[in-house]
């Protein structure tokens, strides 16, 4: 069965969608998500560690999860913003996390969470002026995460549909404005002067501040800034009451950092929504930099997110100050264990060092920042040792965390299969 999530707000496109997918399968079910109440994923990990397979958010998305369990393939139809799917399209993908479980494995050479149910193929149908190359890579990465295959990318608009037929009329962000596709990076001389005196920092994580790994990273990074006398102001986008003030600060500050976790291979949908509310014209120039992190250690897991972030500053009237990329942040939330605290203290100390570096250079486009990422991919010996030794240790630690959270079911439970039986 093919499940189609139509996130467009511009009316029902069911007949057009069925025509597009007619040659792929007769059994197509379309859900128009504009008619449903769907919130942003909060990154709370409840669906992994407290109620395995069941999302803590009680809205209409559970209807979708029960459909996905029965589906072989999933298509998301979305409008585009910044060359990528808009926040409504990303929102329905961010909430797919219960389809995976907490346990870790190496699959197709990548560090992955285990599937809770079965492989799922994935594809994107987009409306508007999307960056096709970016969307195709995103589709591939999402499909890999779900152990399925990419169904590809299809343009819904007539102009883009002709591009699918190999007619060169597709106007992506890359085609129309190279500076939009890659961002406008300052030269080394421009990065060094003038150096920042004050930095605006936005926490782009949807997780509430007290539980946010991103917030811990920002606090450590800010220590490095403050050691050189640089001040900062922080806004957390998980708190919508701060959005108006954060927007005003974004438009009036000349040095901005957005810190964020990787969510389903790219930016969290909550951050995409906030960015879409920003004015398109600035009164003064600004440099926009990013701190991008994820739970997995491998650098290559974050490269699509980094590529997308390179395209954002020019579209927001800013120059690009680089992206600080780092994995291995999952344990930051689990600091009650002495061993874990020692490990995470080292992680946070490294961010403090990078805060000091940013204060001296005014950019993340430095050899030190590139080295900070660590290994692009786990070495073969590391994968072997994980499978032979550490896999069981990690599994037991996750089960201990779950027990502390009051979990009463196996972490790899399949609740919706049980309900169907």
């Amino acid at each position: 069965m093919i499940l189609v999530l139509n996130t467009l707000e511009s009316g029902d496109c069911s007949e057009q969608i069925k025509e597009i997918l007619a040659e792929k399968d007769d059994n197509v079910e379309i859900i128009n998500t504009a008619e449903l109440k769907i919130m942003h994923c909060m990154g709370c990990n409840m669906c992994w560690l407290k109620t395995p397979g069941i999302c803590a958010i009680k809205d209409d998305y559970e209807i979708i999860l029960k459909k996905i369990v029965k589906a072989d393939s999933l298509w998301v139809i979305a409008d585009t913003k910044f060359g990528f799917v808009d926040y409504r399209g990303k929102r329905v993908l961010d909430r797919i996390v219960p389809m995976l479980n907490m346990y870790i494995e190496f699959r197709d050479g990548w560090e992955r969470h285990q599937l809770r149910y079965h492989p799922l193929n994935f594809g994107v149908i987009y409306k508007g002026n999307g960056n096709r190359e970016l969307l195709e890579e995103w589709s591939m990465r999402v499909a890999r995460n779900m152990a399925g295959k990419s169904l590809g990318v299809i343009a819904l608009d007539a102009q883009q549909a002709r591009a699918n037929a190999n007619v060169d009329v597709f106007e992506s962000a890359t085609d129309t404005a190279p500076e939009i596709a890659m961002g406008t990076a300052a030269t080394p001389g421009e990065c060094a002067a003038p150096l920042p005196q004050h930095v605006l920092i936005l926490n782009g994580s949807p997780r509430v501040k007290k539980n946010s790994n991103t917030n811990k990273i920002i606090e450590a990074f800010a220590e490095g800034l403050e050691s050189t006398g640089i001040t900062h102001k922080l806004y957390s986008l998980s708190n919508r009451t701060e959005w108006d003030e954060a927007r005003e600060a974004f438009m009036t500050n000349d040095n901005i950092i957005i810190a964020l976790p990787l969510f389903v291979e790219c930016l969290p949908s909550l951050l995409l929504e906030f960015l879409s509310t920003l004015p398109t014209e600035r009164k003064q120039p600004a440099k926009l930099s990013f701190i991008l992190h994820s739970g997995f250690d491998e650098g290559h897991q974050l490269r699509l997110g980094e590529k997308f972030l390179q395209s954002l500053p020019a579209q927001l009237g800013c120059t690009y100050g680089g992206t600080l990329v780092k994995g291995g942040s999952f344990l930051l939330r689990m600091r009650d264990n002495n061993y874990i605290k020692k490990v995470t203290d080292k992680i946070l100390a490294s961010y403090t060092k990078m805060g000091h570096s940013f204060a001296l250079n005014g950019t993340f486009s430095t050899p030190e920042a590139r080295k900070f990422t660590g290994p692009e991919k786990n070495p073969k010996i590391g994968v072997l040792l994980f499978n032979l030794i550490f896999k069981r240790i990690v599994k037991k630690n996750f089960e201990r965390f779950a027990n502390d959270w009051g979990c009463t079911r196996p972490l790899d439970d399949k609740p919706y299969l049980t309900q169907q039986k």
Side-chain angles (χ1 to χ4, degrees):
M1 189 266 281
I2 294 178
L3 180 65
V4 180
L5 303 182
N6 177 17
T7 69
L8 298 175
E9 294 254 297
S10 56
D12 184 11
C13 302
S14 298
E15 293 306 315
Q16 186 179 359
I17 294 164
K18 286 180 179 178
E19 183 177 344
I20 290 173
L21 299 177
E23 297 180 0
K24 300 183 181 296
D25 201 302
D26 292 331
N27 189 10
V28 176
E29 180 172 356
I30 301 172
I31 298 178
N32 294 313
T33 64
E35 302 169 2
L36 304 177
K37 179 183 178 182
I38 299 175
M39 298 173 65
H40 296 285
C41 176
M42 299 183 298
C44 65
N45 292 141
M46 293 290 188
C47 64
W48 282 349
L49 290 170
K50 188 168 184 177
T51 55
I54 304 292
C55 183
I57 302 173
K58 302 307 175 187
D59 60 6
D60 293 332
Y61 195 79
E62 187 173 40
I63 298 170
I64 294 173
L65 281 175
K66 290 179 177 179
K67 299 284 188 182
I68 294 176
V69 170
K70 300 177 183 178
D72 301 303
S73 298
L74 175 67
W75 288 88
V76 167
I77 304 175
D79 210 336
T80 48
K81 184 72 175 179
F82 308 119
F84 190 61
V85 295
D86 69 358
Y87 77 87
R88 297 179 184 87
K90 188 59 165 56
R91 182 170 57 190
V92 298
L93 256 293
D94 285 356
R95 293 286 300 277
I96 204 172
V97 175
M99 294 293 292
L100 303 168
N101 68 50
M102 188 80 255
Y103 296 138
I104 305 297
E105 66 182 9
F106 282 88
R107 188 173 355 110
D108 61 22
W110 292 50
E111 195 173 355
R112 307 285 192 193
H113 286 284
Q114 290 182 358
L115 298 180
R116 190 175 297 279
Y117 297 99
H118 55 75
L120 186 70
N121 305 319
F122 177 70
V124 179
I125 300 174
Y126 69 96
K127 182 179 177 65
N129 211 19
N131 184 323
R132 190 179 185 86
E133 180 182 350
L134 189 72
L135 291 171
E136 286 177 342
E137 185 175 350
W138 184 59
S139 176
M140 179 271 292
R141 284 176 175 254
V142 171
R144 276 186 173 181
N145 241 332
M146 304 305 298
K149 64 180 181 179
S150 174
L151 301 171
V153 173
I154 298 174
L156 191 60
D157 293 338
Q159 182 181 3
Q160 276 76 30
R162 289 195 298 273
N164 283 323
N166 296 319
V167 179
D168 190 19
V169 297
F170 178 70
E171 297 181 3
S172 69
T174 305
D175 297 329
T176 56
E179 71 276 8
I180 288 179
M182 295 306 296
T184 305
T187 65
E190 291 172 330
C191 290
L195 294 176
Q197 300 301 311
H198 177 80
V199 178
L200 168 66
I201 304 179
L202 301 181
N203 181 347
S205 172
R207 189 179 286 176
V208 294
K209 187 175 180 179
K210 68 176 183 178
N211 294 328
S212 171
N213 292 338
T214 307
N215 193 66
K216 293 179 175 64
I217 288 170
I218 291 170
E219 289 177 345
F221 181 85
E223 288 182 21
L225 291 177
E226 292 166 359
S227 69
T228 66
I230 293 177
T231 59
H232 77 283
K233 175 67 176 178
L234 171 65
Y235 294 95
S236 296
L237 300 186
S238 61
N239 183 359
R240 284 183 178 268
T241 63
E242 297 186 11
W243 279 30
D244 286 342
E245 193 173 338
R247 267 190 293 266
E248 177 65 22
F250 187 94
M251 299 306 295
T252 55
N253 278 263
D254 61 5
N255 211 306
I256 306 164
I257 296 175
I258 300 178
L260 65 144
L262 192 74
F263 261 52
V264 189
E265 305 298 332
C266 206
L267 277 63
S269 59
L270 181 74
L271 176 56
L272 285 172
E273 181 181 1
F274 174 79
L275 294 174
S276 71
T277 69
L278 292 172
T280 56
E281 295 185 6
R282 297 185 59 86
K283 295 180 180 179
Q284 64 182 67
K287 182 180 296 180
L288 178 57
S289 310
F290 304 94
I291 299 173
L292 176 64
H293 69 95
S294 77
F296 288 142
D297 296 324
E298 302 168 308
H300 69 162
Q301 301 264 13
L302 299 109
R303 293 309 180 190
L304 176 66
E306 180 188 24
K307 185 185 298 184
F308 178 58
L309 291 175
Q310 289 173 347
S311 73
L312 272 178
Q315 299 182 77
L316 297 171
C318 303
T319 57
Y320 179 56
T323 301
L324 188 64
V325 175
K326 183 72 171 176
S329 61
F330 175 78
L331 290 178
L332 293 177
R333 194 175 175 186
M334 311 291 182
R335 284 167 57 79
D336 55 338
N337 178 281
N338 286 333
Y339 172 75
I340 292 176
K341 188 176 186 305
K342 289 180 181 178
V343 173
T344 55
D345 282 349
K346 290 182 179 179
I347 294 173
L348 294 176
S350 70
Y351 277 103
T352 300
K353 183 178 179 181
M354 291 310 303
H356 186 269
S357 172
F358 185 85
L360 297 179
N361 296 286
T363 178
F364 291 129
S365 299
T366 63
E368 185 179 10
R370 288 190 288 272
K371 185 178 178 182
F372 182 75
T373 301
E376 274 298 290
K377 194 172 181 180
N378 282 298
K380 290 182 179 179
I381 185 64
V383 176
L384 179 63
L385 288 173
F386 178 85
N387 289 329
L388 291 176
I389 302 172
F390 297 114
K391 186 175 182 178
R392 290 186 291 274
I393 297 173
V394 172
K395 183 177 179 180
K396 287 182 179 179
N397 277 331
F398 286 152
E399 290 168 350
R400 179 176 62 82
F401 295 152
N403 185 63
D404 291 343
W405 284 22
C407 181
T408 59
R409 294 188 288 116
L411 295 188
D412 58 357
D413 194 25
K414 300 176 175 58
Y416 296 127
L417 283 186
T418 303
Q419 291 175 17
Q420 289 173 21
K421 292 177 182 179

